[in-house]
Amino acid sequence: MATISTSILSFNSFKSQLPISSKPNTNLPQTHFRFQLSNPRQPTRLFCVAEETPATATVDPSSEAARRLYVGNIPRTTTNDELQKLFEEHGAIEKAEVMYDKYSGRSRRFGFVTMKTIDDVNAAIEKLNGTEIGGRKIKVNVTEKPLDGVSSTLLQSEETPFVDSPYKLYVGNLAKTVTSESLKSFFADKGNVLGAKVSRVPGTSKSSGFGFVSFSSEEEVETAISAFNDAVLEGQKIRVNKA
């Protein structure tokens, strides 16, 4: 059937003509109504087609979240000062911080840099993302938002306090799907596991790719290293050594 588009009315101008009980919720995504004529040779009939425009979220470009950069895969020896000097070459910065594991004191191989302006942010990403530092190709982007849709069960399991001890292992090259609970279960076959923890990127559920397992004795640590170094856990060969 041939149709002729006669007009397009915005939702705001059209809603005033609707009966009160028929007015849509204005908190919903913006909607447009397009009126069309049926075949002009036949008696005129008007009908409308609703066209929904998705709502878009706006981010304040002056906020710290919009100016904070995630810097990943940096060498383990990189310090705060070195990270700051690297980014100062491409714009003004407010602060630079390498993240360290609170149990082992070792660098987690990523950090955060807060730039002064959005222009500085864009320049740093363009110049530094994918470049090699100390033989490692670094990743630079705006920090990830907390994951609103993350399963509460997963978050609760990851919030279980880690039981530390002098007899502790570092477990590297973990698959992204490994949880603290599955890590503990994996190592429980070779000793009395006191605690296990998968390290995660702050504010998200994203695994950092490594974790720690604590035991009750040095003998159990040695046994676990012999049994599990280069073993496959959830599809990836893991690295196991003393923390």
Side-chain angles (χ1 to χ4, degrees):
M1 176 184 292
T3 60
I4 300 175
S5 179
T6 59
S7 63
I8 297 178
L9 300 179
S10 70
F11 166 74
N12 290 330
S13 63
F14 181 72
K15 69 177 181 179
S16 62
Q17 302 176 33
L18 295 173
I20 293 177
S21 61
S22 302
K23 291 182 181 180
N25 186 341
T26 55
N27 292 324
L28 294 175
Q30 186 179 6
T31 304
H32 290 82
F33 293 89
R34 183 178 69 249
F35 285 86
Q36 295 181 333
L37 284 173
S38 59
N39 191 325
R41 296 180 182 179
Q42 302 295 329
T44 300
R45 293 180 182 178
L46 283 175
F47 63 94
C48 67
V49 178
E51 296 179 332
E52 187 175 278
T53 303
T56 56
T58 58
V59 178
D60 181 3
S62 64
S63 68
E64 181 175 339
R67 296 179 289 106
R68 193 172 187 236
L69 291 172
Y70 165 81
V71 188
N73 201 38
I74 59 178
R76 202 178 291 279
T77 55
T78 301
T79 65
N80 290 347
D81 288 342
E82 290 171 338
L83 187 63
Q84 178 169 333
K85 289 178 182 178
L86 175 65
F87 278 77
E88 278 179 339
E89 297 177 6
H90 306 287
I93 74 169
E94 290 183 356
K95 63 180 178 180
E97 184 178 19
V98 174
M99 304 305 294
Y100 293 90
D101 183 82
K102 64 181 179 180
Y103 300 111
S104 69
R106 302 205 304 179
S107 166
R108 298 172 67 183
R109 286 184 172 164
F110 70 90
F112 298 96
V113 177
T114 303
M115 309 299 289
K116 287 278 189 182
T117 69
I118 291 298
D119 287 339
D120 294 330
V121 167
N122 294 332
I125 293 175
E126 181 181 353
K127 298 295 184 181
L128 293 174
N129 186 42
T131 59
E132 285 196 8
I133 305 297
R136 303 179 69 87
K137 185 176 290 188
I138 65 172
K139 179 180 180 181
V140 181
N141 56 27
V142 176
T143 53
E144 297 177 272
K145 298 179 181 179
L147 301 181
D148 296 331
V150 175
S151 165
S152 60
T153 302
L154 172 62
L155 290 179
Q156 289 170 2
S157 67
E158 293 306 307
E159 289 172 359
T160 303
F162 175 75
V163 180
D164 202 1
S165 87
Y167 314 110
K168 185 167 57 182
L169 292 176
Y170 167 85
V171 187
N173 199 39
L174 291 176
K176 301 301 182 184
T177 54
V178 175
T179 65
S180 297
E181 190 60 36
S182 63
L183 183 64
K184 182 177 182 178
S185 298
F186 185 75
F187 278 82
D189 289 341
K190 297 298 179 181
N192 180 27
V193 176
L194 300 179
K197 182 177 180 63
V198 173
S199 179
R200 299 195 176 275
V201 177
T204 78
S205 69
K206 182 179 180 181
S207 170
S208 296
F210 66 90
F212 298 92
V213 179
S214 60
F215 291 89
S216 57
S217 70
E218 181 68 24
E219 182 181 357
E220 290 171 328
V221 167
E222 296 293 346
T223 300
I225 292 174
S226 299
F228 295 121
N229 188 41
D230 288 333
V232 175
L233 173 58
E234 297 191 21
Q236 285 191 195
K237 186 178 290 187
I238 61 175
R239 299 190 306 273
V240 181
N241 55 265
K242 292 182 181 179

